Amino acid sequence: LWEGSHYVDWGTPFDAIQISVKEHLAPGRVLRFYVNGNGQGAATTAWWNNFTTCLDGETNRGDIIISGDQVLEYTLTAAGIDKLNAEDGLLCVGSGYTVTKVTIE
């Protein structure tokens, strides 16, 4: 879906595919973010909410500690896709890491 280099910090979330990814979303597909750095982060809705648990009032975005090269992997559900669509798409948020590639299978 995307390849390049985007450094994520609290003021600059990764939003390059925020809306365009919508056409590729389907339950069971696996979304992968290839990252590197030393920090923490997660893929979220554009409202910075967790789309994997889909709980109303969820305060845990699902941040993952990032140390070196990693892949953040998310298996999509119908409820998660509904939440992404309702909350203006997809972001990678957090601080201290670089997104280098995004794939979906």
Side-chain angles (χ1 to χ4, degrees):
L1 295 176
W2 181 88
E3 195 163 355
S5 180
H6 180 93
Y7 182 75
V8 175
D9 67 26
W10 297 117
T12 58
F14 172 74
D15 63 0
I17 61 169
Q18 179 177 345
I19 303 301
S20 64
V21 72
K22 287 184 177 186
E23 68 189 61
H24 302 284
L25 303 179
R29 293 192 91 179
V30 179
L31 187 59
R32 290 184 180 92
F33 292 84
Y34 295 79
V35 300
N36 62 55
N38 290 295
Q40 69 179 42
T44 68
T45 72
W47 297 3
W48 290 48
N49 289 322
N50 189 325
F51 66 89
T52 60
T53 62
C54 300
L55 300 173
D56 289 336
E58 173 77 64
T59 58
N60 178 359
R61 283 190 311 271
D63 281 5
I64 298 165
I65 299 299
I66 296 167
S67 180
D69 291 331
Q70 286 181 236
V71 179
L72 309 182
E73 186 173 287
Y74 302 90
T75 300
L76 298 170
T77 65
I81 293 167
D82 289 347
K83 190 160 186 76
L84 286 166
N85 287 328
E87 296 186 6
D88 301 323
L90 179 76
L91 299 178
C92 270
V93 301
S95 182
Y97 69 98
T98 299
V99 178
T100 59
K101 183 167 64 169
V102 181
T103 64
I104 192 164
E105 296 177 17

